[in-house]
Amino acid sequence: MIIRTVTEKDAHELLEIYRPYVEDTAITFEYDVPTVEDFSDRIRRISANYPYIAAVENGKIAGYAYAGVFKNRAAYDWSVEVTVYVKKGLHRKGIGAKLYSALEKLLAAQHITNLYACVAYPQKEDEYLTFDSVKFHEKMGYTITGTFHRCAFKFNKCYHMVWLEKILTQTDITPLPVIPFSKLDKALINKIVLE
């Protein structure tokens, strides 16, 4: 398995990984599967500033992860929201952990200090949502920092949402300026994702 950066050409393959999450789960609160064009646009917008990476095995994408804006204010520049999706049937094989590990190294190289994950959380597990996403993040070193109760409605059920946090760099001084991902040294990116 290799980790590599995503391009807009990967939009269709990534969308096919994401599709079952929209159609069959409450892991995402999207109701409608985006078009390939919409997904391609998401990749382009995110990749300008943040890592968007994929795990590839035998020439096929097994999962993907990316970071995005946490809050759209300058003081939050060192904080990002992270996301990971693994292809149906390939869970519990370490793919998500490999993606997050590479993502965290890339974000550290950009001088990002704080990581946040917004995760759907069931009142009790059901056929659409389990506690697995929270357990995965906790295993990766994240802690729950807040719960929004019954804030989302999908499949005729109300769901909670939790925010989880991981601090990459503890600092009380002015952090180094964030380097947009598109400006990060390509050799450094390749070294990190191929480690």
Side-chain angles (χ1 to χ4, degrees):
M1 178 179 301
I2 63 161
I3 306 293
R4 66 163 174 82
T5 55
V6 164
T7 72
E8 291 178 60
K9 293 177 184 173
D10 297 314
H12 177 75
E13 198 170 354
L14 296 186
L15 185 56
E16 290 312 304
I17 292 171
Y18 185 58
R19 177 183 301 279
Y21 286 95
V22 176
E23 295 177 336
D24 305 327
T25 79
I27 290 171
T28 176
F29 291 145
E30 276 197 89
Y31 279 16
D32 301 313
V33 177
T35 65
V36 173
E37 293 77 21
D38 287 340
F39 219 78
S40 180
D41 184 54
R42 292 179 188 187
I43 291 168
R44 185 178 64 257
R45 282 185 292 106
I46 290 167
S47 297
N49 294 304
Y50 302 105
Y52 204 133
I53 58 175
V56 180
E57 192 166 37
N58 300 320
K60 299 286 185 190
I61 296 177
Y64 64 94
Y66 60 90
V69 172
F70 170 62
K71 293 288 284 180
N72 198 15
R73 297 286 184 271
Y76 292 112
D77 282 355
W78 295 268
S79 299
V80 296
E81 183 178 347
V82 294
T83 304
V84 63
Y85 288 100
V86 173
K87 192 173 192 174
K88 190 174 181 180
L90 296 180
H91 295 95
R92 294 185 173 83
K93 296 180 184 294
I95 297 167
K98 284 182 176 140
L99 283 164
Y100 258 18
S101 177
L103 186 67
E104 289 175 11
K105 290 174 187 171
L106 291 167
L107 291 167
Q110 289 184 265
H111 306 147
I112 298 297
T113 60
N114 293 37
L115 310 181
Y116 295 95
C118 178
V119 176
Y121 195 75
Q123 296 181 58
K124 64 177 186 169
E125 291 187 324
D126 61 33
E127 67 271 31
Y128 304 111
L129 188 63
T130 67
F131 296 116
D132 288 354
S133 290
V134 168
K135 289 176 184 174
F136 165 77
H137 281 88
E138 289 175 333
K139 184 179 173 186
M140 294 300 297
Y142 290 73
T143 56
I144 293 177
T145 57
T147 304
F148 293 77
H149 298 93
R150 299 174 57 86
C151 63
F153 187 76
K154 189 172 181 182
F155 302 123
N156 295 314
K157 297 178 183 228
C158 283
Y159 292 100
H160 303 325
M161 182 270 290
V162 295
W163 277 104
L164 294 103
E165 173 184 62
K166 183 173 183 177
I167 306 300
L168 283 182
T169 304
Q170 200 75 266
T171 183
D172 290 326
I173 60 169
T174 304
L176 294 169
V178 173
I179 303 168
F181 191 67
S182 60
K183 305 280 189 219
L184 206 58
D185 180 69
K186 302 297 183 223
L188 177 62
I189 292 171
N190 289 334
K191 180 181 183 301
I192 290 170
V193 297
L194 294 175
E195 283 181 345

